[in-house]
Amino acid sequence: MRWSMIFKFGLTVIVLVSVCMFYLIHHQSDDSVHEPPSEDDTSVGNQSEEIQEISAEEKLRRAELEKKERRWRESIHLAVVVCGDRGNESIILIKSAILFTKSFIIIHIFSEQELHSSLQQQIASWPRVISEKFEYHLYDISYPDSNNEWKMLFKPCASQRLFIPSLLTNVDSVLYVDTDILFLSPLEEIWFHFTRFNNTQLIALAPESEDRQTGWYNRFARHPYYGELGVNSGVMLMNLTRLRNSTWLPSVMKYYREYKLKITWGDQDLINIYFHFHPDELYIYPCEWNYRPDHCMYTSVCKGADRSGAYILHGNRRAMQNDKQPAFKAVYTAFKEYEFLQKMKTSLLPTLLKYLETASKTPCGTVKHIFSKRVTQFINHADQ
């Protein structure tokens, strides 16, 4: 009985102490809720609002950065190497790319320092509505270990294309073209070939020749080359990410040391040697994507171009400027004379057809539809 009373008394004391402590704590909490903020508290509040303001600005900055990064990833990247007297030619090339292409184009121009000012001035003279369709970046010519031997391989700066994967490290894929190129169709059409690459292919090229009787590599090459007739490097789709992860660069440098006394066409020969040993890494598109005088100067041998017209014109051996291939010069002159903002249907197209007609009695001029078909179809479709 005694122990029961002691237990009840102790329990009562514990309950009373607990109630008192609860009351004190609750009362202090109420006081703190209703207590007006001190100067220090106001300062902390202002800092909190300021942090929120900075966060909003940072959010906007990040959104703008993400927009630029997304455009960089989703745009078509075009690369060209400009040296010597090829400056004006490269401007007409870029002009032809912009005329037909709806996608935003990011153009990478590798050029000798002394040509930068002229290139910038000519591009800056274009109307704003044209400038909004692309952006461009100028780079100096750059070789491993500043080796000028690479610069003078074949033609000045031509071998720069071999090192593009290690120079454009923030670009996934690029379309490289020589300066003596004219686009007769939108860049989206050749860019689509990237979707046809298998898991091993790094680069897309067109054959060097369609005819064994006139092919150069099968008759004269003293080094290994791709396939039966070799490939031409003037129009080259390059998956730069895959190239950086491949043996491309060390292999090319190795092949140069091994075959440099046997190569004639410089970097193109090195590309052929590489794909002779790595044929599974090359994607081949047909001749209409790299249409050259060799395809028509004797007889018309590019059957795809006969049917569909040439998508890309390649006036190698200065066919765009000299009088040896009037049909090629006719197309180049028409593009050169065309002024931005003129209607292509009433300006570019009639001029192109007129100049091609003057070349109609020359070997390539006899297939003049090859030079105008894609342009005509594009302009007529855009006019609908």
Side-chain angles (χ1 to χ4, degrees):
M1 185 72 176
R2 182 181 177 187
W3 286 107
S4 176
M5 290 180 63
I6 293 172
F7 174 78
K8 289 180 179 179
F9 177 78
L11 183 62
T12 302
V13 171
I14 291 171
V15 170
L16 287 172
V17 171
S18 299
V19 169
C20 289
M21 291 181 67
F22 175 80
Y23 176 78
L24 289 171
I25 293 170
H26 183 70
H27 182 70
Q28 288 178 355
S29 298
D30 287 343
D31 287 345
S32 68
V33 169
H34 295 291
E35 185 179 351
S38 65
E39 288 184 7
D40 289 340
D41 291 335
T42 303
S43 175
V44 170
N46 290 340
Q47 288 178 12
S48 177
E49 290 176 6
E50 187 177 345
I51 289 172
Q52 289 178 359
E53 273 186 32
I54 292 173
S55 297
E57 292 175 1
E58 177 66 14
K59 185 177 180 181
L60 186 63
R61 187 191 70 81
R62 291 181 180 180
E64 186 64 26
L65 181 61
E66 173 59 29
K67 181 180 177 182
K68 290 181 179 179
E69 290 176 348
R70 185 169 60 252
R71 186 168 73 175
W72 186 269
R73 292 192 306 268
E74 296 175 356
S75 297
I76 291 175
H77 288 258
L78 177 66
V80 61
V81 178
V82 187
C83 284
D85 61 353
R86 300 287 190 162
N88 293 335
E89 188 177 62
S90 67
I91 291 294
I92 308 303
L93 150 68
I94 295 170
K95 184 179 184 180
S96 71
I98 295 166
L99 282 176
F100 298 111
T101 306
K102 293 182 179 179
S103 299
F104 193 81
I105 309 173
I106 298 176
I107 305 169
H108 305 274
I109 306 173
F110 296 88
S111 170
E112 293 170 311
Q113 182 67 45
E114 52 267 31
L115 294 177
H116 284 204
S117 178
S118 174
L119 293 170
Q120 289 172 321
Q121 288 175 11
Q122 292 187 72
I123 294 174
S125 70
W126 291 347
R128 181 176 179 180
V129 67
I130 299 300
S131 300
E132 290 173 348
K133 298 178 64 176
F134 72 99
E135 67 181 63
Y136 74 96
H137 302 268
L138 272 170
Y139 312 88
D140 290 334
I141 298 298
S142 175
Y143 290 106
D145 303 321
S146 301
N147 189 343
N148 280 331
E149 187 176 0
W150 282 105
K151 181 177 181 179
M152 299 314 297
L153 183 65
F154 185 47
K155 293 180 181 178
C157 308
S159 63
Q160 181 75 95
R161 79 188 83 181
L162 301 174
F163 305 101
I164 287 177
S166 58
L167 298 173
L168 298 181
T169 55
N170 59 342
V171 179
D172 176 67
S173 298
V174 71
L175 168 60
Y176 165 85
V177 291
D178 288 345
T179 58
D180 50 9
I181 291 290
L182 285 176
F183 290 100
L184 306 183
S185 62
L187 295 192
E188 291 94 341
E189 295 186 355
I190 186 168
W191 196 260
F192 183 73
H193 284 278
F194 274 125
T195 67
R196 297 176 176 173
F197 278 30
N198 64 27
N199 292 333
T200 65
Q201 289 166 337
L202 316 174
I203 281 178
L205 294 168
E208 169 64 21
S209 179
E210 302 294 315
D211 178 21
R212 289 192 63 84
Q213 300 299 317
T214 58
W216 192 90
Y217 281 106
N218 60 297
R219 293 187 298 156
F220 304 115
R222 298 182 295 143
H223 57 77
Y225 56 89
Y226 175 82
E228 294 185 5
L229 300 172
V231 285
N232 184 276
S233 60
V235 180
M236 183 161 53
L237 287 173
M238 307 174 73
N239 185 315
L240 302 184
T241 300
R242 292 185 181 182
L243 282 162
R244 284 188 286 268
N245 293 328
S246 73
T247 62
W248 169 260
L249 187 56
S251 295
V252 164
M253 298 182 80
K254 170 191 169 186
Y255 297 146
Y256 175 66
R257 291 191 297 268
E258 186 174 350
Y259 295 102
K260 68 178 182 177
L261 299 180
K262 297 181 178 180
I263 59 178
T264 302
W265 306 115
D267 52 298
Q268 178 171 292
D269 288 349
L270 291 174
I271 291 170
N272 269 278
I273 295 168
Y274 180 87
F275 287 117
H276 171 84
F277 293 110
H278 304 84
D280 59 317
E281 297 179 2
L282 182 63
Y283 171 98
I284 296 290
Y285 41 54
C287 50
E288 57 264 35
W289 297 97
N290 184 352
Y291 191 84
R292 287 164 278 121
D294 293 345
H295 293 126
C296 55
M297 60 192 299
Y298 302 116
T299 183
S300 186
V301 295
C302 182
K303 302 308 177 186
D306 282 338
R307 292 188 301 269
S308 304
Y311 289 82
I312 297 175
L313 207 61
H314 184 181
N316 60 336
R317 297 190 292 273
R318 296 195 180 254
M320 301 289 193
Q321 281 81 36
N322 61 40
D323 295 319
K324 294 180 179 179
Q325 302 296 337
F328 282 80
K329 187 175 182 180
V331 181
Y332 179 82
T333 305
F335 277 89
K336 182 180 179 181
E337 292 180 0
Y338 172 77
E339 296 288 340
F340 281 124
L341 304 185
Q342 292 178 330
K343 288 186 176 296
M344 289 198 288
K345 190 167 187 175
T346 57
S347 180
L348 176 63
L349 185 56
T351 302
L352 173 63
L353 296 176
K354 179 181 72 174
Y355 288 160
L356 283 172
E357 186 60 35
T358 64
S360 61
K361 297 188 183 303
T362 65
C364 290
T366 60
V367 287
K368 60 181 183 292
H369 70 281
I370 288 176
F371 299 84
S372 62
K373 189 168 186 175
R374 302 311 311 172
V375 177
T376 302
Q377 288 185 356
F378 175 87
I379 293 175
N380 287 340
H381 179 75
D383 200 51
Q384 291 177 357

XYZ file of all heavy atoms in Angstrom, residues 42-59:
137
model
N 15.746 42.752 -40.289
C 15.393 43.458 -41.527
C 16.504 43.303 -42.555
O 16.262 43.083 -43.743
C 15.167 44.951 -41.253
O 14.162 45.078 -40.261
C 14.742 45.681 -42.511
N 17.750 43.380 -42.108
C 18.892 43.237 -43.005
C 18.911 41.860 -43.641
O 19.150 41.713 -44.845
C 20.187 43.479 -42.231
O 21.309 43.230 -43.041
N 18.642 40.846 -42.836
C 18.607 39.486 -43.374
C 17.509 39.343 -44.405
O 17.668 38.723 -45.462
C 18.409 38.465 -42.223
C 18.135 37.082 -42.788
C 19.627 38.445 -41.334
N 16.362 39.989 -44.161
C 15.253 39.919 -45.115
C 15.604 40.561 -46.430
O 15.295 40.044 -47.504
N 16.268 41.736 -46.352
C 16.674 42.420 -47.584
C 17.661 41.580 -48.386
O 17.608 41.528 -49.611
C 17.296 43.776 -47.254
C 16.259 44.758 -46.745
O 15.064 44.571 -46.981
N 16.710 45.803 -46.050
N 18.597 40.940 -47.666
C 19.571 40.080 -48.350
C 18.857 38.931 -49.060
O 19.221 38.545 -50.170
C 20.580 39.541 -47.341
C 21.567 40.584 -46.835
C 22.510 40.014 -45.801
O 22.565 38.800 -45.628
N 23.237 40.882 -45.122
N 17.823 38.410 -48.411
C 17.066 37.302 -49.005
C 16.397 37.741 -50.295
O 16.410 37.039 -51.302
C 16.021 36.792 -48.012
O 15.243 35.769 -48.602
N 15.787 38.972 -50.264
C 15.158 39.479 -51.480
C 16.193 39.704 -52.579
O 15.950 39.442 -53.754
C 14.438 40.791 -51.156
C 13.196 40.591 -50.268
C 12.552 41.914 -49.889
O 13.023 42.946 -50.419
O 11.620 41.908 -49.088
N 17.379 40.225 -52.178
C 18.445 40.472 -53.158
C 18.905 39.167 -53.798
O 19.136 39.101 -54.998
C 19.611 41.170 -52.478
C 20.693 41.616 -53.432
C 21.799 42.371 -52.742
O 21.609 42.800 -51.585
O 22.855 42.526 -53.366
N 19.019 38.114 -52.971
C 19.413 36.805 -53.489
C 18.387 36.307 -54.499
O 18.727 35.764 -55.544
C 19.574 35.799 -52.331
C 20.833 36.151 -51.533
C 19.658 34.366 -52.860
C 20.988 35.355 -50.257
N 17.087 36.551 -54.173
C 16.037 36.142 -55.105
C 16.150 36.896 -56.418
O 15.951 36.349 -57.490
C 14.671 36.371 -54.467
C 14.365 35.392 -53.327
C 13.016 35.671 -52.681
O 12.317 36.598 -53.073
N 12.668 34.860 -51.705
N 16.496 38.230 -56.338
C 16.670 39.012 -57.556
C 17.822 38.480 -58.399
O 17.710 38.316 -59.603
C 16.935 40.477 -57.193
C 15.668 41.289 -57.007
C 15.986 42.760 -56.799
O 16.989 43.226 -57.374
O 15.253 43.414 -56.072
N 18.959 38.195 -57.777
C 20.117 37.654 -58.481
C 19.771 36.321 -59.116
O 20.150 36.026 -60.236
C 21.310 37.519 -57.509
C 21.799 38.904 -57.077
C 22.443 36.737 -58.157
C 22.859 38.883 -56.002
N 19.019 35.519 -58.423
C 18.617 34.222 -58.945
C 17.782 34.373 -60.214
O 17.935 33.609 -61.152
C 17.832 33.445 -57.886
O 18.637 33.178 -56.770
N 16.915 35.388 -60.235
C 16.098 35.628 -61.421
C 16.969 36.040 -62.602
O 16.783 35.572 -63.728
C 15.058 36.700 -61.122
N 17.948 36.922 -62.343
C 18.866 37.341 -63.406
C 19.720 36.168 -63.882
O 19.956 36.000 -65.080
C 19.769 38.464 -62.899
C 19.030 39.770 -62.633
C 19.940 40.818 -62.028
O 21.135 40.519 -61.838
O 19.446 41.926 -61.747
N 20.161 35.360 -62.937
C 20.971 34.199 -63.284
C 20.155 33.212 -64.113
O 20.654 32.607 -65.066
C 21.486 33.520 -62.009
C 22.289 32.256 -62.237
C 23.600 32.506 -62.950
O 24.024 33.685 -63.049
O 24.221 31.528 -63.423
N 18.879 33.087 -63.750
C 18.003 32.188 -64.500
C 17.855 32.649 -65.944
O 17.895 31.844 -66.878
C 16.637 32.131 -63.822
C 15.675 31.126 -64.434
C 14.375 31.075 -63.651
C 13.419 30.060 -64.274
N 12.118 30.008 -63.543
